[in-house]
Amino acid sequence: MPRYITSHNMACLTRQGARELAATMRSSPGAEFLRLLGNMTDGQLLAEFEVPSREVLQQWLEKLGIHYQWMARMDFEATREGFGDL
């Protein structure tokens, strides 16, 4: 299934708020939430999902009232273990 990454501005979101956002993403059907990465200094979040299409993810985020700055499909992944297609 295609993998997407989204970028979000945290504005005044606290760690507790980010924890609650992650819990909402985990429990909401319609998209497979994989992880949330946050930077408190710069106020940025990156979220990773597996979904059938960009449109499905856009609709899911809209339904949850989650705004994003950008969204991109990921085609490959490189880790310490190697390189491969997603």
Side-chain angles (χ1 to χ4, degrees):
M1 185 169 309
R3 193 174 301 177
Y4 287 84
I5 293 183
T6 56
S7 172
H8 309 265
N9 185 325
M10 287 179 63
C12 59
L13 190 68
T14 63
R15 283 182 185 271
Q16 179 61 33
R19 190 175 291 116
E20 291 169 7
L21 176 61
T24 297
M25 289 177 164
R26 270 194 301 277
S27 65
S28 298
E32 181 67 27
F33 168 69
L34 300 176
R35 66 181 168 164
L36 184 66
L37 300 166
N39 178 309
M40 298 297 289
T41 303
D42 295 331
Q44 292 294 308
L45 291 172
L46 293 176
E48 186 175 4
F49 305 91
E50 284 186 346
V51 291
S53 70
R54 178 184 185 95
E55 293 76 24
V56 168
L57 183 54
Q58 286 173 321
Q59 291 171 1
W60 185 80
L61 290 168
E62 185 177 313
K63 177 182 158 190
L64 294 177
I66 299 172
H67 303 281
Y68 63 93
Q69 294 173 306
W70 56 261
M71 174 185 302
R73 180 179 169 153
M74 299 295 108
D75 296 314
F76 64 83
E77 176 178 51
T79 66
R80 287 195 260 179
E81 289 78 30
F83 185 94
D85 292 330
L86 293 175

